[in-house]
Amino acid sequence: MRRLHAAHFWALLLLVAGCSGASKSSSLTKEIVFKLQGNAEPVQAILELSAAADLTEVTRVFRHGGRYEARQIQHGLHLWFSAQTKGLAVSAVRTIEAHTSLVSTAAVVPEYQLAAHPNDPKYPEQRHHHALEMEEAWGITGGSAEVVIAVVDSGVDMDHLDLRRNQWINEGEICDNEIDDDDNGFVDDCRGYNFADDSGTQLLGGNDHGTHVAGCGKFRRCKIQVLLRPTQATVLEWPELPVVPMGATECRLCT
């Protein structure tokens, strides 16, 4: 059984968030994605849809979450599936969409290619982009300035040449005046906040891991917000990931 490619996962998140702007598209594949209705019984629904649309290799987009499965169910992630079609993918999607009592949305997974490779001279050395299939994701979308990516890690060097133009700016805050201008409880949170040292200005932290993470998931038009976590805790140990209001942005902590 096969899971949806990492590139499609990244693109799905960005497209749901409102990003668009593919670099270059090519022909459609025989792969489709669809989401079941919340009241549908998954096993029976998959059997019925597979027979009606001639589907094969039907599998969940988001694999079983183990002890965190209840949280995935709460957010409806268990309802997303991908499949291969024996015939035309467009026809399969139309057939599936006709089953309105079972399916809430369906789409063909398009094949996209990157129009141009990054001009970073050290790009060939950055093997993580290939491992994450980022080139395929970049071919689908370059992101949007309306999307803010919160990097919860050891801190980020926002003066880095590859990150400077992507930094999120809290327009309600006057930088470095030691005043909580937007009255959100955080002083000088112009580009994020350091929860370890309770500082809005010291965002680099003790090592460069957060900078590396920010580069891994970077889309050229998205904005990056720095949230430096407490040094004696890990994000996975937090019982619930809170919503941290930063200026006009409500950013849910995520890794």
Side-chain angles (χ1 to χ4, degrees):
M1 296 293 280
R2 175 190 49 78
R3 289 188 297 121
L4 199 66
H5 287 177
H8 297 146
F9 169 75
W10 283 102
L12 178 62
L13 292 181
L14 287 170
L15 290 171
V16 168
C19 296
S20 61
S23 300
K24 178 183 178 181
S25 64
S26 61
S27 60
L28 297 176
T29 67
K30 287 183 175 291
E31 185 174 10
I32 66 171
V33 292
F34 58 92
K35 183 181 181 182
L36 298 178
Q37 294 284 7
N39 59 354
E41 199 288 309
V43 175
Q44 186 59 40
I46 293 303
L47 289 174
E48 184 174 337
L49 294 172
S50 296
D54 211 5
L55 304 180
T56 64
E57 300 183 51
V58 182
T59 187
R60 280 176 52 163
V61 172
F62 304 94
R63 66 185 180 187
H64 193 281
R67 60 176 175 164
Y68 298 110
E69 178 66 6
R71 190 179 300 179
Q72 297 214 111
I73 292 175
Q74 178 184 354
H75 295 286
L77 299 183
H78 68 300
L79 300 174
W80 285 94
F81 288 84
S82 68
Q84 293 291 318
T85 62
K86 293 182 179 179
L88 293 175
V90 174
S91 299
V93 166
R94 289 173 181 165
T95 300
I96 288 176
E97 287 179 329
H99 291 69
T100 55
S101 63
L102 299 177
V103 176
S104 63
T105 186
V108 177
V109 175
E111 186 85 17
Y112 286 96
Q113 296 179 345
L114 195 62
H117 289 279
N119 60 3
D120 186 342
K122 293 189 176 181
Y123 180 71
E125 303 173 20
Q126 300 168 19
R127 293 174 294 177
H128 52 276
H129 290 305
H130 176 73
L132 293 172
E133 300 180 13
M134 290 300 293
E135 286 192 6
E136 292 184 41
W138 289 332
I140 296 173
T141 178
S144 166
E146 300 301 315
V147 174
V148 180
I149 300 174
V151 179
V152 185
D153 208 285
S154 61
V156 178
D157 179 10
M158 291 308 299
D159 291 323
H160 191 286
L161 181 62
D162 292 332
L163 300 177
R164 272 185 295 196
R165 67 177 182 177
N166 295 93
Q167 60 183 293
W168 168 80
I169 300 296
N170 180 1
E171 296 181 355
E173 194 79 9
I174 299 174
C175 299
D176 302 321
N177 68 348
E178 300 183 359
I179 297 174
D180 181 13
D181 300 285
D182 58 2
D183 194 29
N184 68 345
F186 301 96
V187 175
D188 288 336
D189 56 320
C190 290
R191 298 185 293 180
Y193 204 76
N194 179 342
F195 290 93
D197 301 312
D198 194 23
S199 170
T201 57
Q202 303 298 321
L203 301 180
L204 183 57
N207 59 64
D208 60 359
H209 185 266
T211 303
H212 173 72
V213 170
C216 284
K218 177 176 175 289
F219 285 76
R220 63 180 179 273
R221 287 189 290 271
C222 290
K223 298 300 181 183
I224 295 175
Q225 180 188 72
V226 184
L227 298 178
L228 198 154
R229 63 174 175 81
T231 55
Q232 298 302 316
T234 65
V235 174
L236 292 179
E237 290 172 348
W238 294 353
E240 290 294 335
L241 301 182
V243 174
V244 178
M246 290 287 185
T249 302
E250 279 198 353
C251 186
R252 187 167 294 278
L253 303 187
C254 55
T255 55

